[in-house]
Amino acid sequence: MIIPAALLANIINAGTDILTLAEGMDESEFLRSRLARVEIGRLVGVMAINLADLPDAQRQLFAELDWTTWRAIPEQLNTDPATRDEALWFAIRALVPGTLMWLRVYKESAPQLFEFQQG
């Protein structure tokens, strides 16, 4: 069984990497950068998988996250290039920043959810 704290660490790390890679990029630069699109796509996939792997009880605690969109992301990443690029651009500009913002809020109010337990 994967520890929820490890999943959350993966989500935060992947999201931070996405925002770092896309920093200062406008949509046309993003669409021209094949390497950035590929890596950002991989990282968005990592976030989606790790979010899906969170236990139901934890998902319910994080009610403000856009669960509907996160559940749709894997399918959008495995479709035609235009749909994939549109989903990735939305993730860069809205979904990932919003998710990271809410996870920071949750971490401040319930840090124990993000801590690795000894034992």
Side-chain angles (χ1 to χ4, degrees):
M1 179 176 145
I2 297 179
I3 302 167
L7 295 170
L8 291 168
N10 289 342
I11 294 161
I12 291 167
N13 289 338
T16 301
D17 289 349
I18 290 164
L19 297 182
T20 300
L21 283 168
E23 187 175 0
M25 229 183 243
D26 64 23
E27 188 173 10
S28 63
E29 290 171 307
F30 169 72
L31 292 173
R32 283 192 310 267
S33 178
R34 183 186 156 290
L35 292 175
R37 284 195 332 268
V38 168
E39 182 61 7
I40 289 169
R42 185 187 72 76
L43 292 166
V44 168
V46 166
M47 287 185 74
I49 289 166
N50 281 269
L51 283 161
D53 286 345
L54 283 172
D56 287 337
Q58 198 143 16
R59 272 189 250 145
Q60 291 174 6
L61 292 173
F62 300 150
E64 285 83 0
L65 296 186
D66 188 349
W67 293 107
T68 302
T69 302
W70 277 115
R71 277 191 295 277
I73 285 288
E75 183 178 327
Q76 292 174 336
L77 295 180
N78 291 312
T79 189
D80 65 275
T83 301
R84 176 185 165 90
D85 290 346
E86 184 177 328
L88 289 175
W89 186 246
F90 175 76
I92 290 167
R93 292 297 166 223
L95 189 61
V96 171
T99 299
L100 292 179
M101 179 203 65
W102 278 112
L103 289 177
R104 275 192 298 274
V105 169
Y106 293 128
K107 190 172 185 177
E108 288 176 13
S109 64
Q112 70 279 5
L113 296 173
F114 294 79
E115 294 171 358
F116 291 90
Q117 302 298 318
Q118 299 270 337

